[in-house]
Amino acid sequence: MNASSLRSIDGNLLLEALDGADRALLAPHAERREVGRGDVLFRAGDDVSHVTFPAQGCVVTLVVPLRDGKSVETATVGREGAIGGVVSQGYLPAFGQAVVQVAGPIIRIDADRLAEAKHASKTVRDLFVRYADCLLAQVLQSVACNASHTIERRCLRWLLTLQDRLGTPDLPVTHELLADMLGVRRAYLTEVLGRMQRDGLIEIGHRRLTLPDRRRAEAASCECHAAVRRHFAEVLGAVYAPGGRMVAVDAAEPDQLKAPSAAVALRDLAP
């Protein structure tokens, strides 16, 4: 397989972590497309026939819709991960809903083709088992956070998670979007954000929020964000740039995790 075919899965850290032989198992089945903000990739009850890998700059949120019309975020996935049939061996109905929060490219691979690659390669199989564990950790920590922590801390946790995936302090987030993610009324959230801005934790702009001081935001947030980052590092070999952005994961087994390559260090680890 030529280099251009293998590059069809560039832009997603999970897929980039695989070596050439394992990438060759998946690249012929990869389909790239652009998605827009607000696009719904699947709804509760849909048959999920593809695994979706957000690529560079794209962020998808997994939410659970409730009967009263509200929906609550359970996990935020960017180029470090995947959604839909991640651990299954084929098609399964979706429990929640996947909504694009930041527009960008995605890579889709048929769930059956991914299952075949897992069967053919222990490395592929192990990588997705470990990623599924990290995704579950994020969901469980989100549940605990929503049940136990103040709205201010929950808000910072979500904004820091988004910054980890985008790598910029300027986050394309509206009050309406954040209220939906946190499951609160927009008017109430606007009051909360006003207090946080007066405290210097955020800056409010047109259709965006800014974290002017990440260290201060981390200190004011609950432990949930740091706990999930630590689990990604320990289980998936996640590497973070100084600004917080996740820049690499490792396909090796946990006891063989290694430092990122020189190419990654030069490209992504600079402040």
Side-chain angles (χ1 to χ4, degrees), residues 207-221:
R207 301 186 65 82
R208 67 181 53 246
L209 297 173
T210 300
L211 294 176
D213 187 333
R214 182 180 171 93
R215 289 186 179 180
R216 188 174 176 193
E218 289 175 333
S221 179

Side-chain angles (χ1 to χ4, degrees), residues 197-255:
Q197 179 168 242
R198 289 190 293 274
D199 290 340
L201 292 170
I202 63 170
E203 294 174 359
I204 302 174
H206 177 61
R207 301 186 65 82
R208 67 181 53 246
L209 297 173
T210 300
L211 294 176
D213 187 333
R214 182 180 171 93
R215 289 186 179 180
R216 188 174 176 193
E218 289 175 333
S221 179
C222 53
E223 71 270 23
C224 297
H225 171 255
V228 172
R229 277 171 59 95
R230 184 166 57 251
H231 196 71
F232 266 84
E234 292 173 349
V235 174
L236 202 58
V239 178
Y240 296 92
R245 181 168 178 250
M246 193 184 304
V247 296
V249 299
D250 197 328
E253 295 182 10
D255 61 352

Side-chain angles (χ1 to χ4, degrees), residues 70 151 154 178-186 188-189:
K70 293 181 181 178
I151 185 65
R154 290 168 55 203
L178 192 52
D180 285 345
M181 292 301 98
L182 299 175
V184 299
R185 292 181 298 107
R186 179 177 174 178
Y188 173 56
L189 181 68

Side-chain angles (χ1 to χ4, degrees), residues 111-244:
D112 285 342
R113 302 290 82 74
L114 180 59
E116 290 172 359
K118 291 177 185 177
H119 181 74
S121 168
K122 180 181 182 299
T123 299
V124 174
R125 183 168 63 253
D126 178 70
L127 177 65
F128 279 90
V129 167
R130 289 187 288 117
Y131 172 69
D133 181 81
C134 289
L135 182 61
L136 177 59
Q138 187 181 167
V139 171
L140 293 175
Q141 198 71 52
S142 178
V143 171
C145 186
N146 290 339
S148 302
H149 296 140
T150 65
I151 185 65
E152 289 86 357
R153 289 188 166 189
R154 290 168 55 203
C155 181
L156 286 172
R157 186 261 302 172
W158 195 85
L159 293 174
L160 287 164
T161 298
L162 184 59
Q163 188 181 41
D164 289 349
R165 282 140 184 81
L166 294 178
T168 172
D170 298 316
L171 305 173
V173 178
T174 64
H175 291 199
E176 182 178 9
L177 166 63
L178 192 52
D180 285 345
M181 292 301 98
L182 299 175
V184 299
R185 292 181 298 107
R186 179 177 174 178
Y188 173 56
L189 181 68
T190 297
E191 295 177 7
V192 171
L193 294 178
R195 292 197 300 268
M196 293 172 66
Q197 179 168 242
R198 289 190 293 274
D199 290 340
L201 292 170
I202 63 170
E203 294 174 359
I204 302 174
H206 177 61
R207 301 186 65 82
R208 67 181 53 246
L209 297 173
T210 300
L211 294 176
D213 187 333
R214 182 180 171 93
R215 289 186 179 180
R216 188 174 176 193
E218 289 175 333
S221 179
C222 53
E223 71 270 23
C224 297
H225 171 255
V228 172
R229 277 171 59 95
R230 184 166 57 251
H231 196 71
F232 266 84
E234 292 173 349
V235 174
L236 202 58
V239 178
Y240 296 92

